[in-house]
Amino acid sequence: MDMTQSRDRMVEHQLMRRGIGDRSVIEAMRTVPREKFVSPGFEEFAYEDAPLSIGEGQTISQPFIVALMLEKADLKAGHKVLEVGTGSGYASALMSRIARQVYSIERHERLALQARERFETLGYDNIDVRVGDGSKGWPEAAPFDAIIVSAAAPEVPSALKEQLGLRGRLVIPVGRGQEQRLKRVTRTGAAAFEEDDLGGVVFVPLIGEDAWTAAHPMYTATVPLSPGTFASGPASQPNAQGEGMGEMHKLPALPEGVLDHTEFQQRFWAVQRLSWIIFTLLLATCLMGLLGRGGPFSRQTFHLSDGSVDFPVISRWNAPEDMTVNFTASSEDRVFTIDAAFLQTFSVQGIDPPQKATFAREGRIGYIFPADPAGPTQIVFRLQTQLPGAHRATIGMGREVHTQSTFIFP
């Protein structure tokens, strides 16, 4: 399948007209066949201006974003480059057409092996691929002239900054959900860095010890003491007479006949606070059970003229989901479409029974299923949630479309 014209059209309309001017990046985008890096059956819309699912909950980014990151990294012919998040291998392949050597890290072994096979098939022999934690970088191969991270971290990992050479550039998305910002960090000295904000982006999360994980300092850091908060220290230790230097003086005794309710009040308020905490936890647990995956309010069925769709409207981040499509009986092939926003929210892991064909049109992906005049047909899309937060996606049957909202718990 010769897609040279589609590739040239992508470069002209999606890149050059939107400000990409680096000649080496443009030439690499004209040379590397993106259709070789998408999932089978998706080749015909490899050059659409949208990300595509590649399995394992990951995506191949839209061409413009890849070109923008390469341009901002300012790659040169003699450079040594690190990519964090190999994915399909497309970005690494582009870098290999510009830089001298590319090192690429992927945490999913299946994706890393597939990318390595693609490189061997295409003859790209200046790319080394390893399976590992990308947030830790590749210290044995450091320093790097440039590092490009293809997934969003909560903050810039210190290990990656340390592996930059002098004047080296690190391009990385930072943040969660719709709040991500594309950052460029330039090393200006042994411990000095400059940071530029390149705009808002949406990437899958970077999973690793120095990225999104329960061990990240964002979740484990001790809360600093605020003014008016006291910690135990030498001043509160007993003196030689056994008295506490930090001990409060006792209050004077109450007049005779006046009852002291202080202890009772303290116990009452302690029990009340504890009761509220328990009630809140129970309520939150019940709501999560009702609203979470599989709960009675977690799905919604909407009807179109050609059938109905059972859609997950509430789910949890990085969890599996099913979307069930029911077609009415028909003597003509049925068409089901989803837009780019859907593919950013959910990645399609499988379709049962599989589609007859696929196509891309106006930024949307269409699935064609064979006609069945004998009766209704049920199609199950196996999905993986990708982005936490509230999202809207457009789903269609034939010429009729429906915009549906969904919320994914972080």
Side-chain angles (χ1 to χ4, degrees):
M1 180 185 298
D2 186 5
M3 305 195 73
T4 304
Q5 290 184 348
S6 297
R7 198 175 307 125
D8 290 340
R9 192 180 308 113
M10 177 266 292
V11 169
E12 181 179 349
H13 291 273
Q14 299 180 32
L15 307 185
M16 298 176 67
R17 291 189 181 181
R18 294 164 74 178
I20 302 298
D22 189 311
R23 301 310 304 177
S24 60
V25 173
I26 290 174
E27 185 58 31
M29 301 288 280
R30 287 191 190 275
T31 303
V32 175
R34 192 170 188 259
E35 69 271 15
K36 302 294 185 182
F37 294 86
V38 301
S39 300
F42 285 74
E43 293 86 354
E44 61 187 285
F45 45 84
Y47 296 100
E48 290 288 321
D49 187 28
L52 297 174
S53 173
I54 57 174
E56 305 291 346
Q58 307 301 301
T59 60
I60 177 174
S61 299
Q62 69 186 98
F64 173 74
I65 291 296
V66 177
L68 176 66
M69 295 177 75
L70 296 184
E71 183 174 67
K72 296 305 181 181
D74 193 20
L75 303 183
K76 304 299 181 186
H79 282 178
K80 181 170 59 173
V81 185
L82 171 66
E83 184 193 22
V84 175
T86 311
S88 68
Y90 179 61
S92 290
L94 292 169
M95 296 176 208
S96 75
R97 302 302 88 194
I98 304 172
R100 172 176 57 85
Q101 185 67 36
V102 178
Y103 295 85
S104 193
I105 306 176
E106 172 57 53
R107 73 184 183 93
H108 295 287
E109 184 176 9
R110 185 180 70 84
L111 294 181
L113 293 176
Q114 288 178 346
R116 186 176 295 163
E117 291 177 1
R118 291 180 178 121
F119 300 150
E120 292 176 356
T121 300
L122 294 169
Y124 298 164
D125 56 4
N126 61 336
I127 308 174
D128 290 335
V129 182
R130 71 153 51 162
V131 179
D133 182 354
S135 70
K136 291 294 187 181
W138 196 321
E140 308 94 300
F144 298 100
D145 299 291
I147 300 176
I148 296 178
V149 183
S150 300
E155 58 193 25
V156 181
S158 58
L160 298 183
K161 294 170 67 175
E162 292 169 1
Q163 292 174 33
L164 283 175
L166 186 61
R167 304 307 304 175
R169 285 128 348 251
L170 165 62
V171 179
I172 178 173
V174 177
R176 67 162 67 212
Q178 302 294 331
E179 300 174 358
Q180 295 176 18
R181 308 293 298 181
L182 188 62
K183 304 282 188 177
R184 178 175 60 189
V185 178
T186 304
R187 188 167 201 164
T188 58
F193 300 87
E194 291 181 354
E195 185 174 295
D196 299 311
D197 190 322
L198 305 178
V201 290
V202 178
F203 278 80
V204 296
L206 175 64
I207 307 299
E209 185 176 342
D210 285 352
W212 292 112
T213 170
H216 191 276
M218 177 179 291
Y219 306 107
T220 59
T222 303
V223 178
L225 295 176
S226 58
T229 303
F230 299 91
S232 61
S236 63
Q237 299 299 319
N239 62 14
Q241 286 72 40
E243 297 172 346
M245 297 296 291
E247 184 177 316
M248 296 182 64
H249 296 291
K250 292 183 178 180
L251 295 173
L254 293 172
E256 185 177 357
V258 178
L259 298 177
D260 185 1
H261 295 287
T262 304
E263 185 177 355
F264 170 79
Q265 289 176 335
Q266 290 176 344
R267 291 181 179 179
F268 174 82
W269 288 113
V271 171
Q272 188 181 58
R273 283 194 295 269
L274 181 61
S275 300
W276 274 110
I277 292 172
I278 294 174
F279 173 78
T280 303
L281 291 175
L282 290 174
L283 180 61
T285 302
C286 293
L287 287 174
M288 289 294 289
L290 290 173
L291 301 178
R293 181 172 180 268
F297 302 106
S298 66
R299 308 184 68 83
Q300 179 179 346
T301 300
F302 57 88
H303 298 271
L304 300 172
S305 58
D306 293 333
S308 63
V309 180
D310 179 49
F311 187 87
V313 294
I314 300 177
S315 187
R316 297 188 180 96
W317 173 52
N318 216 22
E321 280 288 0
D322 286 339
M323 178 178 66
T324 305
V325 180
N326 294 288
F327 287 105
T328 57
S330 175
S331 59
E332 297 181 354
D333 287 349
R334 283 76 55 84
V335 177
F336 183 77
T337 58
I338 53 181
D339 63 353
F342 182 96
L343 291 175
Q344 291 175 351
T345 307
F346 301 93
S347 65
V348 179
Q349 303 290 305
I351 304 174
D352 186 27
Q355 69 275 24
K356 177 180 177 181
T358 59
F359 65 91
R361 183 182 301 142
E362 298 177 353
R364 304 182 67 197
I365 296 176
Y367 300 85
I368 301 176
F369 297 94
D372 186 1
T377 303
Q378 186 175 89
I379 309 294
V380 177
F381 283 73
R382 292 189 295 276
L383 310 174
Q384 183 84 10
T385 58
Q386 295 194 138
L387 295 177
H391 306 280
R392 291 179 67 82
T394 300
I395 298 171
M397 280 186 171
R399 297 183 179 276
E400 191 175 5
V401 296
H402 177 87
T403 300
Q404 180 64 48
S405 299
T406 187
F407 184 82
I408 298 176
F409 284 104

